[in-house]
Amino acid sequence: MKAPDGLDGVPVLEARGLTKLFKVRSERGAGYRRGRVLYAVDGVNLALRPGRSVALVGESGSGKSTVARLLAHLYPITAGEVRLNGRPTRPRFARARRAYARNVQLIFQDPFASLNPTHRIRYQLTRVLRLHGYARGRDQTAQVLEDLLARVQLTPANQYLEKFPHELSGGQLQRVAIARALAARPLVLLADEPVSMLDVSIRLGVLNLLAALKVQERLAILYITHDIASARYFAEETLVMFLGQLVEGGPSEELTQRPAHPYTQLLISSAPDPSKRGVRTEGRPPRAGGRPSPEGCRFAGRCPHTMPVCRDTTPVVSDLGGGHWVRCWLHEPASAETVGASATRPDQQEVARP
Amino acid sequence: MAAEVTVTSSDVGLVSQGGARRRPRAPWLRSPKVVAGLGVAGFFILMGVFGPLIVPADPSATSAAVLQPPSLEHLLGTTATGEDVLSQVLAGARLSLVVGFTAAVVGEAIAILVGITAGYLGGLADEVLSLVTNVFLVIPVLPLQILIVTYLGDGGWLLLALVIALTTWSHGARRLRAQTLSIRQRDYVQAARAAGEPTWRTVGFEILPNVSAIVITSFVFHVTSAIVVQTGLAFLGLGNVSDWSWGSVLYWSDNSNAFLLGAWWWFVPPGLCLAFLGSGLALINLGIDEVINPRLRTGLKAARLFGRARAVGNEH
């Protein structure tokens, strides 16, 4: 596994200042109360490169799935842009969506939900081939289908093609879902917690499959997970997300060995480790909920190291070297004092990156 | 290790099943209720198809034998003008069924169009279509139907069916909208959208197959209610009452005070036909409901359903 050089190369898919705002329905009665919005994703920058994978780690509700869906253009973007091969994209109609889907494919978390229960596997795969004009003639289509299933290690193909989704197991279904994504011959795979719904025993198989595809087909992969250990195993680069914001990022090895952000530290310490039985870290374990304050660090309410400046001012990004960066006042003690005094908002758009 | 075991065991299952066994396309066909209902409804459909061809006498031919109770000559007796009631019931089945089915087909088509469009598109389109649906839901349907049919006069069976369809589609539309709202959010619909499927294809091939059970039950119910409405309107003397239908038989019997005269053979047969057809169709619906919604199944029935399904599966 290559680590730091995973940050080189030209990005195929890039998000700049990606922001998604959801209107919040008031709990009493219908209608939207004026001004109540939720920043599900707030100014996220990330870049996916061919043959490399980036892991996006965060707890439930941190907005990581929303990032995947924004990158797949399933939701309209509130602000920021998604660049494919350097060009901004914003497909609105079916034709443009199809062209975009030829390059960027999303793999959903729940394979039982992402395949239509009323169609056979053959239909689900052939449909994608048809959409992109890859199905030419009966024999060739059959050959392509067989190759696709072989690539996700479902052989012999004709055992699976005539099945309905409910006749296959979760692991088999997720492989079919991956085959469906591959059928479009994409450059980028967005894998939204691809193994979290699977049985523990088959997770590794699916992860290894994705890793092999990454190397063999030079796919750029965004791997979304709540399990920071699997991020380290699978991805060269890891980004940590908390309540819609990226709080830390860098080469996976470096980030898991020397986590800089208190939230990352909590995430890592909350992963079960048999060799560290009985050891406890301070601070509450990660959990969903809590409304972030518009100003200040979003983690301030749960952080064991909260300082006064954390509550007032959004932290700036600090470069820790080697592509490792963090958004935390603990790493900017000097400016924390000056900013805390003058209370100006730092520029949060630019993330330090070589 | 465990992964290998899982894969191997399911592979063995796959191999032993081969390509022969399939999910039954219509599992509700195993339900005894559906089978019984189909039998009853099938009987009346046959009556509708062949009834007018096998009538023992011209249903409109009068004779001197007036108000005769059932006898060998007239199996269901005669009317006040000496017409054969059996012939009228047999001949009337066709119009009742044709109007009922046509109204249900057209009404269900409107319901699918309006309900699924509203549910899938959402936003302003949903608001407008829901408003229209709700208006049709709260309009008192029978007075409206009486009004329209009176205004149009005798426009033939097709027009009557269209009037019934246009006044009864709203229930189905509302149900389909609700279901579509839920299905629209599912991942496979999102996936189809993301893949760039055109909207009509997403609706027709991703959503519609998943609401087919609702469409079928809604259609069956629609047939019953359309036949009842058609009968009701004919009973009130609206439309052309010289066209034979179960409703017009009832109209003439009422017109001649058959009830006061004790001529039960005149109004009971068409009424029973209606009741049996309605029960048959309701049985189909109940059976389908049970298959779709397992909570409605009682223990014994569930065991029988699943037991049979398993037995069929093992034969292969």
Side-chain angles (χ1 to χ4, degrees), chain A residues 3-16:
Chain A
D5 60 340
L7 302 181
D8 317 328
V10 187
V12 229
L13 192 71
E14 201 181 359
R16 292 194 183 171

Side-chain angles (χ1 to χ4, degrees), chain A residues 69 72-75 94 97-98 101 105 108-110 113-120 123 127 131-132 159-160 162-164 166-168 172 180 201-202, chain B residues 2-4 6-7 10-11 14-15 17-19 21-23 25 185-199 201 205-207 209-210:
Chain A
R69 283 163 189 239
H73 282 300
L74 270 180
Y75 299 149
R97 281 181 182 285
R98 211 157 17 203
Q105 280 281 322
F108 291 84
Q109 176 178 9
D110 182 357
S114 67
L115 296 163
N116 193 328
T118 58
H119 296 308
R120 293 176 200 275
Y123 174 89
R127 194 55 216 147
L131 265 179
H132 300 300
Q159 258 182 30
Y160 298 94
E162 301 306 325
K163 298 279 181 212
F164 285 97
H166 77 274
E167 292 174 300
L168 299 180
Q172 291 169 335
R180 180 174 65 173
S201 56
I202 45 183
Chain B
E4 280 168 39
T6 318
V7 171
S10 68
D11 277 351
L14 289 167
V15 171
Q17 286 166 10
R21 201 177 75 84
R22 293 276 164 269
R23 180 181 74 153
R25 279 316 294 233
Q185 292 304 325
R186 301 209 181 145
D187 283 348
Y188 54 81
V189 177
Q190 300 285 313
R193 238 166 51 80
E197 291 272 23
T199 305
R201 192 144 184 129
F205 287 78
E206 305 296 329
I207 294 181
N210 284 291

